[in-house]
Amino acid sequence: MPEGPHRNDAVATIPEFAHNVLDVVDSIPLGKVMTYGDVAAHLGSRGARVVGQVMARYGSDVAWWRVIRADGSAPRGHEQRALTHYVSEATPLVLAGDEYRVDLNEARHRL
DNA sequence: CTTGTGACCCTAA
DNA sequence: ATTAGGGCCACAA
């Protein structure tokens, strides 16, 4: 007889929405990016911030640098580490003095 | 159940 | 360029 989730499921730990976010991130091709809002919209949500929370909590094992802000800047507090990835995977960048942005016109992954 | 919290987004000043 | 304010909403406590 079928039953719903019981105690001691080996799965979970990661909530459903968070799991879906990670799936989308895994689908972003090398050298491409999506904004937090893009990821949310793809999942039928308007919660760009929630995507950020998910990345902060569960994103360490995926290509987190491919999810960026709407203006093309890297995740807050991770600009340096993100840049090494952009360079190594040849993500199109726009330089502005000591700052940089990902060139969304070139690198945005659309669905 | 209620509340506080953001790796955010947008507009206005 | 910067700041302020409102909106967003899944998640953790």
Side-chain angles (χ1 to χ4, degrees):
Chain A
M1 58 293 236
E3 249 182 44
H6 214 238
R7 38 185 165 16
N8 88 340
D9 286 9
V11 197
T13 329
I14 301 181
E16 182 179 287
F17 185 80
H19 183 272
N20 292 336
V21 167
L22 299 182
D23 269 359
V24 174
V25 176
D26 277 335
S27 79
I28 306 174
L30 188 147
K32 295 287 191 174
V33 299
M34 287 179 79
T35 69
Y36 293 96
D38 286 344
V39 175
H42 183 248
L43 295 175
S45 169
R46 284 181 297 172
R49 311 187 62 159
V50 182
V51 173
Q53 281 188 309
V54 168
M55 293 307 291
R57 254 193 93 70
Y58 305 104
S60 55
D61 292 325
V62 298
W64 54 265
W65 57 91
R66 294 180 192 155
V67 184
I68 66 176
R69 308 225 274 138
D71 66 354
S73 56
R76 285 264 169 94
H78 301 260
E79 297 82 5
Q80 180 104 11
R81 269 177 298 174
L83 180 57
T84 67
H85 285 104
Y86 300 142
V87 170
S88 79
E89 59 187 68
T91 306
L93 300 178
V94 176
L95 304 179
D98 55 346
E99 303 284 310
Y100 74 89
R101 304 277 177 80
V102 171
D103 184 349
L104 283 173
N105 278 333
E106 286 296 313
R108 189 178 215 157
H109 177 54
R110 21 197 152 248
L111 315 142

